[in-house]
Amino acid sequence: MKAYVVDKYNKKGTLRLAEMPEPELGDSDVLVEVYAAAVNLLDSKVKTGEFKLILPYRRPFILGHDVAGRVVRVGSKVRKFKLGDDVYARPRDGRIGTFAEFIAMDEADVALKPVNLSMEEAASIPLVGLTAWQALIERASLKKGQKVFIQAGSGGVGTFAIQLAKHLGAIVATTASAASADLVRGLGADVVVDYRKDDFEKVLSGYDVVLNSQDAKTLEKSLNVLKPGGKLISISGPPDPEFARKQGLNVALRLVLRFLSRGIRARARRRGVKFSFLFMWAQGEQLSKIASLIESGAIRPVVDRVFPFEATNEALAYVETGRAKGKVVIKVR
């Protein structure tokens, strides 16, 4: 099969289009013919080696974390899916590889595709949908009437998280450029801060939850908008000791991550708020619940551009510019 692979970690290098063996199928796996795959900033970070200590892939490996496609084979223990099912998924870490014609995934990571979405639209959902779900529902326990600040509202996670927060009944603030203000308001944002003109920490206060997706400076400033007892959840780092424990990292790496997050954890404690790092995990059952929300009309996908499979490197480069509104998708079939 054709696939785009990482041969070596390189900030300026491109993916290589290669002929790779069709994935082996485990007893609990489904083999999916890939129709579409979304591109995420995570793909760029994995490609450059930014996560090589916690995600040690053996090169060459196939890149790609989002997929929509059709089941063409099932393992002997698979019970949830059958041949011909249209599915979508974010394969678990260690088994990524959606920039390819086929991928094998554990059935626990997979869900039936929302019936009202195209393959391209469905592929745009899993990673950002699971990130928002795990941050706002599982980690924050966001309730009706609470105030949540979701950074970068026009980005992939932002466009989904705003809609999910509004579905939960929260009051939503976000940052966006003037050009994207109408988009995020249309998704449900109540307060839109133009990050090019205004400083969000001077505009926002008394928030229950902040979903941070930006740099260390923005993370620090986010503490100032939270009320005592609030929750600062970061998907852009720094990783904390709890993450290291869940990942089963060795003692040396645990110490490194403890040191990297020591400052923000201490400042959060002094402010009476809780800091945590979220690195989303594959979860088919959560994707099924997300599919129900999409089918009910509560959430809609936001797709910026669709590239052909042959232009996968161009799609990745476009995501790296940071200018995409919503998600960027590759049409494989």
Side-chain angles (χ1 to χ4, degrees):
M1 68 174 185
K2 290 182 171 61
Y4 279 89
V5 304
V6 176
D7 286 312
K8 62 180 181 179
Y9 295 125
N10 192 324
K11 287 191 175 182
K12 294 184 179 180
T14 58
L15 304 176
R16 176 173 62 91
L17 179 59
E19 282 290 339
M20 299 291 283
E22 193 174 289
E24 294 183 6
L25 196 68
D27 290 343
S28 299
D29 290 347
V30 293
L31 182 67
V32 172
E33 185 173 21
V34 179
Y35 278 62
V39 185
N40 299 280
L41 200 54
L42 176 60
D43 296 308
S44 177
K45 292 181 177 182
V46 170
K47 182 195 76 166
T48 61
E50 189 172 328
F51 288 121
K52 63 184 178 183
L53 291 178
I54 57 177
L55 295 174
Y57 291 106
R58 192 170 76 179
R59 291 156 290 169
F61 64 90
I62 304 169
L63 197 60
H65 292 79
D66 272 322
V67 63
R70 185 160 292 162
V71 175
V72 293
R73 203 184 313 159
V74 298
S76 60
K77 294 181 179 178
V78 171
R79 298 293 179 264
K80 294 180 182 177
F81 304 99
K82 64 184 184 306
L83 300 188
D85 280 345
D86 289 343
V87 297
Y88 76 145
R90 193 290 203 188
R92 65 187 59 182
D93 294 319
R95 299 194 66 184
I96 64 169
T98 64
F99 298 168
E101 293 179 310
F102 297 91
I103 184 170
M105 298 176 286
D106 192 298
E107 70 168 338
D109 302 344
V110 180
L112 293 173
K113 178 184 78 66
V115 295
N116 57 333
L117 297 189
S118 67
M119 288 290 190
E120 292 79 21
E121 290 171 326
S124 75
I125 296 291
L127 186 143
V128 297
L130 289 171
T131 299
W133 185 280
Q134 290 164 14
L136 299 181
I137 293 179
E138 295 206 329
R139 191 69 59 88
S141 300
L142 189 65
K143 301 290 193 300
K144 184 177 181 179
Q146 287 190 314
K147 294 165 66 178
V148 58
F149 171 39
I150 295 164
Q151 296 165 8
S154 66
V157 172
T159 52
F160 193 100
I162 289 170
Q163 296 180 83
L164 180 60
K166 287 306 293 184
H167 173 72
L168 296 171
I171 299 163
V172 182
T174 193
T175 47
S177 66
S180 299
D182 287 344
L183 168 65
V184 296
R185 285 195 184 96
L187 297 172
D190 300 289
V191 179
V192 181
V193 180
D194 185 343
Y195 66 85
R196 290 176 176 159
K197 289 182 11 184
D198 300 312
D199 193 336
F200 71 79
E201 67 175 331
K202 296 177 181 176
V203 178
L204 308 176
S205 63
Y207 276 68
D208 299 280
V209 178
V210 173
L211 178 54
N212 175 77
S213 58
Q214 304 302 296
D215 57 18
K217 183 178 179 181
T218 305
L219 181 67
E220 294 278 348
K221 289 162 61 175
S222 296
L223 289 170
N224 299 326
V225 311
L226 284 163
K227 68 182 185 182
K231 297 175 182 177
L232 174 54
I233 301 164
S234 178
I235 60 173
S236 57
D240 58 9
E242 179 64 14
F243 166 76
R245 184 187 65 78
K246 285 183 177 178
Q247 290 289 108
L249 302 180
N250 63 45
V251 173
L253 275 177
R254 289 189 188 197
L255 289 173
V256 168
L257 298 190
R258 179 177 290 276
F259 175 78
L260 289 174
S261 63
R262 182 177 60 180
I264 188 66
R265 287 187 290 112
R267 283 185 282 280
R269 279 196 302 272
R270 287 197 294 269
R271 295 295 298 266
V273 303
K274 178 177 175 57
F275 167 79
S276 64
F277 170 71
L278 175 70
F279 196 78
M280 62 77 45
W281 60 93
Q283 235 294 352
E285 286 188 14
Q286 290 175 3
L287 280 178
S288 293
K289 293 175 182 176
I290 289 169
S292 295
L293 288 181
I294 292 170
E295 289 169 354
S296 74
I299 293 176
R300 63 179 174 88
V302 179
V303 176
D304 183 305
R305 290 180 64 180
V306 178
F307 288 78
F309 186 51
E310 301 75 33
T312 294
N313 278 305
E314 289 86 341
L316 188 55
Y318 181 57
V319 167
E320 289 170 344
T321 67
R323 294 197 299 266
K325 295 179 181 179
K327 293 297 294 290
V328 174
V329 176
I330 297 163
K331 183 178 175 66
V332 179
R333 178 179 171 83

